[in-house]
Amino acid sequence: MTPETTLTAAPKTAAPATEGDPLVRVRNLKMYFPIYRGVLRRQVGEVKAVDDLSFDIFRGETLGLVGESGCGKSSAGRAILRLYDVTDGQILLDGTDIAPLSGRELRRLRPEMQMIFQDPQASLNPRMTVASIIAEPLDEHRRLDRRARMERVFELMDAVGLDRDFANRFPHEFSGGQRQRIGIARALALNPKFIVCDEPIAALDVSIQAQVVNLLEDLQERMGLTYLFISHDLSMVRHLATRVAVMYLGRIMEIGSRDQLYDDPRHPYTQALLSAVPEPDPAAESDRHRIILEGDVPSPANPPEGCNFCTRCPQVKDICKRETPAFRQMSDGRFIACHLV
Amino acid sequence: MPEGAAPILDVSDLKTVFTTRSGEIHAVNAVSFDLAPGELLGVVGESGSGKSVTMMSLIGLLPSPPAEIRGGRAMFDGRDMLAMTQDELREIRGSRIGFVFQDPMTSLNPVFTVGFQLMEPLRVHMNMNKAQARARAVELLELVGIPDAAARLNNYPHQFSGGMRQRVMIAIALACDPQILIADEPTTALDVTIQAQILELVRELRQKLGMAIIWITHDLGVIAGIADRVMVMYGGQVVEQAPVKELFRNPLHPYTRALLETLPGFVGDRAQRLRTIEGQPPSLRAQPTSCPFRARCRHAFERCARENPPMRRDAGGHHVACFWEPDS
């Protein structure tokens, strides 16, 4: 269990040992939001929504990003797609650092990376028809004549399992699951390589969730997509992800392959998180060992000294309250930020 | 639960209809169930299955119009709650039946302190004076595990975190020692680690206080860990009802079976593909004349389109509304 690489100690130079070919490399990504107070709106502090993230997403894989609400997982996803101007760090998409880009240069790369949002009700314009929603990215980035444009819209509707006859309907005429399909079709319009799925199934009923997840898997296989799948549903992430990253209060606590993480969680937070997931099996539920965490998540505007998890960690030691643990690689390939392992 | 113990709540043939501009919605259709003293009844179903509307109908919390209770009986302590006046119901709500709602932020009043909101039911229903109510309020906050309870009484809801707010809601619901607690998706808005805290709290409170609980949720995992008996609702009807272990070991209704299969496992091998339930839930525009699950059912046959299956009961308390026999 010797640490082989340390990411925080030697920023921007050390790269973690990788298998496969990374499509997205994130290095020391920071996303701080300023807090303004008073009549003069002076900056009095900042919310460290994303604090020093480093990881890779390999071509064709699904990286699950899990954590509780407010841990910064959505901010991380949005920062990686450059929906925000990041505070610091590098985001390499296919070798190009997109963190410092802006304006036209960024716009040129937008077709490569797309997003699927949580709430299909809020992310679809109620005044636009399905066809115009799906075609909007085409209108922005491609020059297509009317026939080719419609052709492409129908192709996309077929791909996500929407009836072509619905092309002229409005979003409110659809159920939640179908609306999510519209959002997926729009994300696919420009043939992206990389898609951030931000809680795409959280607003859907159980029986509909499975339909959307299967669709996402089919599309990945057919189109060679790479997903960053942000979710708080740990069972669904286990089903969908190749590797999983666990976030807490703006930092990644542990990242490893799905089996490593679910079968043998090493970080105390991962252990507590997994043990808190209720299982649909009364026999297993009654004799399961549960780690109940005390207290609540601290505010990201005022994170604790030392390890971010030290206020709730059941195994906390003195050093945890003084020093931020380094994010280092274990002998089995996973990365972990904890003094105790 | 011991079969045969006199139920504390006995609901039969409840029908609730909403009248909207585009027609009637039959949200609850002939729902019957009972609740034994001290029992935890889990109610599962998807959104729109009628689980919340059923409970809201019982305690008269639905605005009328648009809601109208078209029939049924709900016997609580020898009296039919559906025949009571609003004043009589108000006596019962908050004192003998408590509730906890899904979103603790919207169900607490932001302009009053938590102490005020806790003491209100005590003073109205239990005729306590201010000092007595305050002492009891402190006791209640301690009971639900809020540290520094006496000082926290003067705080406003926004000064509490989500999990703490839900604890306050539970404290308010428990204020007058209710015989029944109705919890409508009480942990859905919470994170898993906070949900685990609340579930642990409810287990403890049940042991200490012994009230009956109706726990509405769409999360089968939560139900498995906490319920004694489970009622599955679909399309405004109860489709299956059984003791918790029996239901998960031997689900009889095709909907319950499909629902359990769509969940990805948390242990064991990863399924190549998730099983899905194709199609959409029914629209409930009219009184059902056929099985509501028929269109999505793998085992539907011609009889399912002709009749709405009645509830079949077996000796072990496993009830199912379906014509299909799993063994055939």
Side-chain angles (χ1 to χ4, degrees):
Chain A
M1 238 167 282
T2 43
E4 289 161 17
T5 333
T6 308
L7 276 175
T8 41
K12 298 189 178 153
T13 47
T18 53
E19 327 118 37
D21 173 19
L23 175 68
V24 181
R25 320 184 78 151
V26 176
R27 289 292 172 275
N28 307 95
L29 181 68
K30 294 193 176 94
M31 186 64 236
Y32 296 171
F33 296 99
I35 309 169
Y36 299 108
R37 281 274 157 73
V39 202
L40 300 173
R41 312 309 293 163
R42 253 196 287 262
Q43 188 178 341
V44 293
E46 45 198 5
V47 174
K48 298 183 175 180
V50 174
D51 200 3
D52 212 2
L53 296 194
S54 297
F55 58 90
D56 292 339
I57 305 173
F58 301 122
R59 230 173 270 276
E61 80 164 349
T62 301
L63 178 70
L65 185 58
V66 300
E68 299 177 85
S69 47
C71 73
K73 53 190 192 302
S74 289
S75 298
R78 286 163 174 256
I80 291 167
L81 286 189
R82 282 302 316 279
L83 300 183
Y84 296 136
D85 285 330
V86 300
T87 310
D88 193 22
Q90 285 182 302
I91 305 154
L92 296 153
L93 179 73
D94 232 352
T96 319
D97 185 4
I98 60 169
L101 299 185
S102 63
R104 194 176 300 161
E105 291 162 305
L106 193 58
R107 195 179 150 80
R108 207 169 40 80
L109 288 171
R110 289 272 179 227
E112 309 277 301
M113 44 184 189
Q114 291 290 320
M115 185 152 185
I116 299 167
F117 296 92
Q118 167 169 3
D119 187 351
Q121 172 83 55
S123 57
L124 302 177
N125 188 335
R127 290 162 182 264
M128 286 166 76
T129 62
V130 169
S132 50
I133 288 172
I134 298 175
E136 204 180 11
L138 299 170
D139 298 342
E140 289 291 321
H141 290 277
R142 299 266 191 276
R143 297 241 165 274
L144 296 177
D145 61 44
R146 246 173 63 207
R147 266 227 359 252
R149 177 177 173 270
M150 241 13 239
E151 197 71 11
R152 178 72 181 141
V153 167
F154 284 143
E155 209 178 287
L156 288 161
M157 289 182 76
D158 293 345
V160 298
L162 282 171
D163 195 327
R164 288 183 178 206
D165 295 344
F166 296 163
N168 289 318
R169 296 202 186 179
F170 290 90
H172 72 89
E173 297 174 75
F174 293 87
S175 66
Q178 284 174 312
R179 273 186 218 141
Q180 201 54 284
R181 288 174 196 265
I182 301 172
I184 294 171
R186 176 177 59 185
L188 294 175
L190 297 169
N191 273 327
K193 290 181 197 150
F194 175 53
I195 299 184
V196 172
C197 311
D198 188 2
E199 303 259 16
I201 53 165
L204 306 176
D205 269 318
V206 190
S207 70
I208 311 295
Q209 282 185 355
Q211 296 176 7
V212 174
V213 164
N214 281 347
L215 173 66
L216 287 173
E217 281 191 307
D218 289 346
L219 292 170
Q220 179 169 44
E221 203 169 300
R222 224 178 325 148
M223 312 174 74
L225 297 168
T226 305
Y227 292 140
L228 176 65
F229 188 84
I230 301 171
S231 179
H232 66 270
D233 184 337
L234 289 145
S235 324
M236 208 49 101
V237 167
R238 179 175 184 264
H239 175 78
L240 206 60
T242 332
R243 290 185 312 133
V244 182
V246 180
M247 262 184 99
Y248 183 81
L249 207 60
R251 289 174 177 273
I252 290 184
M253 297 282 125
E254 186 169 3
I255 179 168
S257 74
R258 178 186 63 227
D259 294 343
Q260 281 173 347
L261 226 91
Y262 281 82
D263 298 345
D264 174 31
R266 297 262 290 278
H267 196 287
Y269 178 63
T270 317
Q271 291 169 355
L273 192 65
L274 292 177
S275 87
V277 177
E279 250 179 87
D281 176 4
E285 271 298 292
S286 55
D287 52 41
R288 194 150 147 233
H289 173 63
R290 230 185 240 96
I291 307 167
I292 306 273
L293 291 179
E294 300 281 322
D296 291 305
V297 187
S299 154
N302 187 18
E305 193 77 5
C307 173
N308 274 356
F309 187 52
C310 72
T311 53
R312 296 173 81 197
C313 184
Q315 302 167 36
V316 64
K317 299 268 185 312
D318 275 344
I319 184 174
C320 307
K321 295 178 181 159
R322 288 194 317 267
E323 283 173 42
T324 305
F327 189 56
R328 60 213 162 87
Q329 194 170 30
M330 300 287 119
S331 50
D332 60 0
R334 76 174 90 187
F335 282 81
I336 207 164
C338 184
H339 291 299
L340 304 173
V341 291
Chain B
M1 267 305 103
E3 280 281 315
I8 183 168
L9 178 69
D10 192 351
V11 178
S12 51
D13 270 326
L14 180 71
K15 284 193 181 75
T16 306
V17 177
F18 289 90
T19 313
T20 66
R21 268 192 301 183
S22 51
E24 290 186 341
I25 302 289
H26 292 251
V28 175
N29 284 305
V31 165
S32 303
F33 66 94
D34 54 29
L35 181 71
E39 177 184 42
L40 199 152
L41 176 68
V43 182
V44 278
E46 296 176 71
S47 40
S49 62
K51 51 198 196 304
S52 296
V53 175
T54 301
M55 301 309 154
M56 303 276 264
S57 305
L58 294 183
I59 50 180
L61 278 184
L62 290 175
S64 176
E68 186 197 336
I69 295 169
R70 289 262 168 96
R73 277 189 335 154
M75 302 306 287
F76 172 62
D77 206 12
R79 292 167 67 201
D80 184 0
M81 283 204 290
L82 299 181
M84 283 184 193
T85 62
Q86 275 299 330
D87 284 343
E88 288 173 304
L89 277 172
R90 195 172 300 128
E91 284 284 293
I92 289 182
R93 283 194 301 248
S95 68
R96 304 186 55 200
I97 300 182
F99 0 87
V100 180
F101 295 105
Q102 173 170 350
D103 183 353
M105 194 61 223
T106 49
S107 35
L108 286 168
N109 190 331
V111 301
F112 291 108
T113 62
V114 158
F116 178 86
Q117 298 184 58
L118 249 174
M119 282 147 64
E120 193 181 11
L122 294 167
R123 300 190 64 185
V124 173
H125 291 296
M126 317 263 282
N127 293 320
M128 288 187 181
N129 65 32
K130 215 166 172 179
Q132 287 169 323
R134 200 172 174 84
R136 171 80 177 138
V138 172
E139 217 176 278
L140 284 164
L141 283 191
E142 278 166 359
L143 180 73
V144 296
I146 293 183
D148 201 10
R152 295 292 261 169
L153 282 183
N154 300 321
N155 286 166
Y156 289 88
H158 75 266
Q159 292 168 294
F160 290 79
S161 65
M164 283 293 165
R165 264 180 234 140
Q166 202 55 292
R167 285 171 194 257
V168 170
M169 281 307 296
I170 293 174
I172 294 175
L174 297 177
C176 303
D177 274 325
Q179 286 152 292
I180 301 177
L181 178 70
I182 299 177
D184 189 354
E185 305 256 10
T187 58
T188 307
L190 305 177
D191 282 313
V192 272
T193 62
I194 308 295
Q195 168 172 288
Q197 290 175 359
I198 299 286
L199 293 179
E200 200 61 27
L201 172 71
V202 169
R203 284 192 194 102
E204 253 170 56
L205 290 176
R206 278 185 73 196
Q207 268 176 1
K208 272 190 216 161
L209 308 175
M211 71 246 165
I213 301 178
I214 297 176
W215 189 284
I216 304 173
T217 183
H218 66 272
D219 189 332
L220 288 159
V222 169
I223 284 292
I226 197 167
D228 298 315
R229 204 150 55 88
V230 187
M231 174 164 115
V232 182
M233 290 190 71
Y234 186 83
Q237 305 187 30
V238 180
V239 294
E240 185 162 8
Q241 216 187 108
V244 66
K245 285 195 175 141
E246 165 73 10
L247 186 94
F248 281 87
R249 199 176 43 223
N250 181 26
L252 293 178
H253 198 282
Y255 175 63
T256 317
R257 294 179 158 225
L259 208 53
L260 285 168
E261 282 171 10
T262 60
L263 295 177
F266 200 64
V267 286
D269 289 335
R270 173 188 177 277
Q272 264 314 308
R273 252 181 108 71
L274 291 177
R275 293 290 287 265
T276 60
I277 309 178
E278 291 306 326
Q280 300 290 333
S283 66
L284 308 177
R285 293 248 171 253
Q287 191 129 327
T289 51
S290 57
C291 174
F293 188 58
R294 167 178 47 95
R296 306 172 79 186
C297 183
R298 261 179 251 156
H299 309 286
F301 52 101
E302 141 285 334
R303 190 177 174 193
C304 308
R306 258 188 301 131
E307 294 170 59
N308 192 2
M311 203 51 116
R312 286 187 286 139
R313 291 147 209 271
D314 79 358
H318 196 148
H319 307 175
V320 61
C322 184
F323 294 125
W324 176 68
E325 303 274 350
D327 308 319
S328 64

